[in-house]
Amino acid sequence: MGSRVQYESVPWHAMEMDSGEKRLNELGYKQELRREMTFFKTLAITFSSMAVFTGTPLYGPSLHYAGPASLIWGWVVVTFFTWFVGIAMAEICSSFPTTGSLYFWAAHLAGPRWGPFASWCCAWLETIGLISGIGAQAYSGSQALQIIILLSTGTNKDGGYFAPRSVFLVMYICYIIIWAILNSFALKVIAYLNIVSLWWQVIGGLVVIIMLPLVAQSTQPASYVFTHFEMSPEATGISSKPYAVIMSVLLSNYCLYGYDTAAHLTEETKGADRTGPIAILSSIGIISVFGWAYNLALTFSIQDPSSLYDVNNETAGALVPAQIIYDAFHGRFHNSTGAIVFLCIIWGSFFFCGLSVTTSAARVVYALSRDKGIPFSPIWRKIHPKHKVPVNAVWLCAAISIILGLPILKLNVIFSAIISISTIGWVGGYAVPIFARMVMAEENFKPGPFYLGRARRPVCLVAFLWICYTCSAFLLPTLYPIAWDTFNYAPVALGVALTSIMLWWVLDARKWFKGPVRNIDIQNGNS
C-alpha cells in the first residue's frame, strides 16, 4: 500500500514530460505556451518563412547586374555556405530549445561576463530583422498583386490598371493587418494554414518549375543559362565585375535564411530538442533545391532578354519574372490567363511567408519582453488567456512594420532598404551565438541530441565569416551614380537604430538587463 501511495503522489504530467519541456525547465523556464506542434507543423511554418518564390522581386535586378551564369551559380555557392550556418544553429537549438532562441543562446554561450551584452545585441538584431521581414513580404505580395490586377484588366500596353503608390501602400497595410488578425488566434490555426502553405508551395512550385519551360515556345540554350556573363553598366552604373557578381548573388543571400523559425517555435513543439534541428536542416534542403530549380525555370524560359526591363512592356517593367511568365503564356496561347494563375501561386507564397514571419517576430518580441528587454514589457508579454498566443506582441510587430512601409509613397528604393535591413538584422542575429559557441570552453556546453563534437569550431568559423560577408554585401550601394532615388538607406537606418540601442545599453540597460530571466524559480517560490 505504501508503495502504491508513493506512486500515485507523482504528478502524471511529470511522468510523461516532453523532452523539450524537460530541457526548458532545466534552463529555468516554465511551460507557458501550448506545446502541441508536431515536427510536420513546425517544418511547415519554417518552410513558409523561407518560401520557394521569395526571391521573385530580386530576380530581375540580379539578372541585370551580371547575367544568368552569376545568378545561377551564385545560388549554389550561397547554398553551400548556408549549410554551415544551419548546422551550427541546429546544434545550438538542440541544446537550448526555447522561444527566445538566438538571444537566449547568445546569453548562455557567451558566459556570465559577456552574456548580457551578447544577448542584448542579438535580441535587437533579431527583432529588427524579423519585423522588417514582415514588411519585405508585404511589399513582395503587394507587387505580385499589382501585376495580377494589371494583367487581369488588360496589360500596360492596352489600358490595364497599374496600381499607383497610394493604392500599393493600402495593399501593403492590408496584408500586415490580415497577418496580425490570423496570428491573434490559437497557434493551431496558423499551423493549419502553414500546412496548406507547405503543400501550396511544393505543388505550386512543381507546377511552375515544370510547366513554365514546357509552355514557353522557345527556351534559352544551356550555354546561355550556365555560362553567359553580361553586365549592364549603363543601367546599374556598376562596371566592376566582382562588384556586379556580389550584387547578383544578393538574390540568393536574401532567399536562404529564415530557418531559425523552427527555433522560435520550440516551446510549442513536441520533442523540440530533436525536431527543432531537423526542421532547420530540412527547410534548408527543400528550399535550396526548389529555389534553384525555380531560377532555372525562369532563366530557361526567357523569350527576349532585351525587353524584360522596358517600362513600356506588358508588365511595365515592374517585375521581371512576371514578364517572363507572361511572354511564355501569351506566346503559346495568345492570352494572359495562364500567367495570372502562375502569378497567383507566387502571390500565395508571399502571403503564407508573411504570415509565418509574423508568427516568428511575435515570439521573439514576447520572449524578449518576458526577460524585460523591451520598454513596457508587461504589455507585450501578455498571453491571450484562451488562445495562449502573445497577441499584444503580434500587434506591436504589425504596427512597426506598417510604419516602415510609409515611405512607399515617396521613395522608389524602399524595398531594397527593407530587405537589406531585414537580412542584416536577421542574419546578423545568427552571428552572435555562433561566434560565442566557437570560442566558448567545450566543458561549459551541455549538448543536445544533435551534437557536432570536434567539428563545431571549423563549422562555426566558416558560418561566422559567411554571415559577416552577407551583412557587408547588403550595406553596399546597389545603383550608381548615388542620388536620392538610388541611395541605399539601409546603412543609415541601421546605423541610427543600432547606435540608439548601444547608447541605451551604455547609459541604462547594462544596469538592469541580465539576459534571459528564469521564471520557474519565481513560480516555485510563489508556490
Side-chain angles (χ1 to χ4, degrees), residues 19-20 23 26 87 90-97 271-278 281 445-453:
S19 61
R23 178 58 178 153
E26 292 174 359
I87 290 169
E91 184 201 38
I92 302 171
C93 178
S94 183
S95 178
F96 301 107
D273 51 342
R274 290 178 172 82
T275 56
I278 296 173
L281 299 178
F445 182 75
K446 181 179 179 180
F450 185 91
Y451 179 52
L452 293 177

Side-chain angles (χ1 to χ4, degrees), residues 117-186:
F117 179 66
S119 180
W120 178 263
C121 295
C122 186
W124 280 105
L125 280 170
E126 190 178 12
T127 301
I128 290 169
L130 279 163
I131 292 177
S132 54
I134 299 172
Q137 294 309 312
Y139 191 103
S140 299
S142 300
Q143 193 173 43
L145 184 58
Q146 183 184 44
I147 301 300
I148 290 170
I149 294 171
L150 173 63
L151 295 182
S152 299
T153 56
T155 67
N156 184 51
K157 288 184 174 181
D158 55 18
Y161 178 75
F162 188 76
R165 290 176 185 267
S166 56
V167 176
F168 191 99
L169 179 59
V170 171
M171 294 178 188
Y172 174 94
I173 293 172
C174 286
Y175 277 120
I176 295 173
I177 291 175
I178 292 170
W179 293 334
I181 291 172
L182 290 173
N183 270 282
S184 297
F185 294 105

Side-chain angles (χ1 to χ4, degrees), residues 30 52 67 116 223 234 251 262 298 311 318 343 380 399 481:
K30 59 185 177 182
V52 173
S223 59
E234 69 286 346
L251 162 71
L298 285 173
V311 294
L343 287 170
W380 316 125

Side-chain angles (χ1 to χ4, degrees), residues 30 35 296 298 307-308 365 369 408 454 479 485:
K30 59 185 177 182
R35 193 178 288 272
L296 285 173
L298 285 173
S307 70
L308 294 178
V365 170
S369 60
I408 287 172
R454 294 182 179 179
L479 292 171
D485 59 345

Side-chain angles (χ1 to χ4, degrees), residues 18-25 27 29 31 35 91-101 104-105 262-269 271-277 370 448-449:
D18 179 273
S19 61
E21 181 177 348
K22 181 179 179 181
R23 178 58 178 153
L24 184 68
N25 292 166
L27 293 169
Y29 283 96
Q31 183 70 45
R35 193 178 288 272
E91 184 201 38
I92 302 171
C93 178
S94 183
S95 178
F96 301 107
T98 71
T99 290
S101 58
F104 185 98
W105 304 348
H264 303 314
L265 298 169
T266 47
E267 288 185 35
E268 299 161 270
T269 303
D273 51 342
R274 290 178 172 82
T275 56
R370 181 176 62 180

